[in-house]
Amino acid sequence: MRSFVHGLTRWDTLFFKTIFGWNGSRFLAVGFPWVSHSGNGYYYPLLVPLVYLGEPDKALPFVFSALAAFGLELPAYKVVKAMVKRGRPCETLTGVQRRTTSGDRFSFPSGHTAAACLVATLLSHFFPALFFPAYAWALSVGVSRIYLGVHYPTDILAGIVLGVLSALSGMALFC
C-alpha cells in the first residue's frame, strides 16, 4: 500500500508541476484567475432566474435539486478536508508560489471543482445541450486551481467525484 501511495504522490506531483509550469501565456495568467473565481459560488444564484426565464417548468426541480445537492456537498467537503488535512502545493512543494488566495489551509478535495461539477451535472441534466460547455467550464475551474498553485490533480479528481455524486443525489430526490 505504501508503494501505491508513493507512486500516486509522484504522479500527482509530476502532473501538478506540468500544469503549474504553463508559464508565459498572458491568456492563462489573466484568464485562469477569472475562471477560478467563477467557481467560488457567487454566481450560482443567478442560474435560478435564468432557468426560470428559459424553462419555467424546470425551475423548481432545478432549485430543489441544487439545494439538496449543495446540502450534501458542502458538509461532505468540509468533513473530508478536515480529515485529510493535505497541505496545498504552494505550501508543500519547493519553488511553488501561489497565484491566488485560498479560503483555508488544506487542498483535498477541491471545493471549487466540486461545486462547478455539481452545477455542470445539474445543468446538463436539465438542459442536455449545455453538457459540453458546462463540463468544459467545470474542468477549466479544476485545471485553473492547479495552475494557480493551490491544488494537486487528485484534489481536482476528488472534487469532480464529490460534485457529480452530490448532484446525482440531489436529482434523485427531486427529479
Side-chain angles (χ1 to χ4, degrees):
M1 182 66 165
R2 179 164 235 181
S3 64
F4 171 76
V5 171
H6 177 71
L8 182 62
T9 301
R10 193 178 82 235
W11 281 104
D12 209 22
T13 303
L14 176 68
F15 286 129
F16 168 82
K17 287 182 177 183
T18 299
I19 294 170
F20 185 78
W22 292 344
N23 290 329
S25 169
R26 183 159 170 75
F27 172 76
L28 295 179
V30 172
F32 269 172
W34 182 86
V35 170
S36 174
H37 181 74
S38 74
N40 282 351
Y42 302 121
Y43 307 110
Y44 298 154
L46 297 175
L47 292 173
V48 175
L50 292 174
V51 169
Y52 182 77
L53 289 172
E55 299 267 352
D57 57 316
K58 294 180 179 181
L60 281 178
F62 179 86
V63 168
F64 289 142
S65 296
L67 289 173
F70 277 111
L72 295 167
E73 183 265 335
L74 284 169
Y77 155 80
K78 289 182 182 278
V79 166
V80 171
K81 195 162 265 215
M83 286 174 45
V84 175
K85 294 182 180 177
R86 182 183 199 185
R88 294 187 181 275
C90 55
E91 297 168 358
T92 60
L93 296 177
T94 306
V96 174
Q97 300 293 322
R98 75 177 59 224
R99 296 173 176 150
T100 190
T101 58
S102 51
D104 58 39
R105 290 183 25 212
F106 304 120
S107 71
F108 186 93
S110 168
H112 282 74
T113 307
C117 286
L118 185 158
V119 169
T121 303
L122 290 172
L123 285 173
S124 63
H125 172 78
F126 286 96
F127 304 97
L130 295 179
F131 178 89
F132 289 109
Y135 278 108
W137 163 74
L139 294 176
S140 294
V141 168
V143 171
S144 76
R145 301 299 287 168
I146 299 168
Y147 175 81
L148 295 171
V150 293
H151 282 291
Y152 291 98
T154 50
D155 302 340
I156 303 309
L157 291 174
I160 291 169
V161 170
L162 178 59
V164 169
L165 291 177
S166 297
L168 292 174
S169 298
M171 290 184 303
L173 295 171
F174 292 104
C175 291

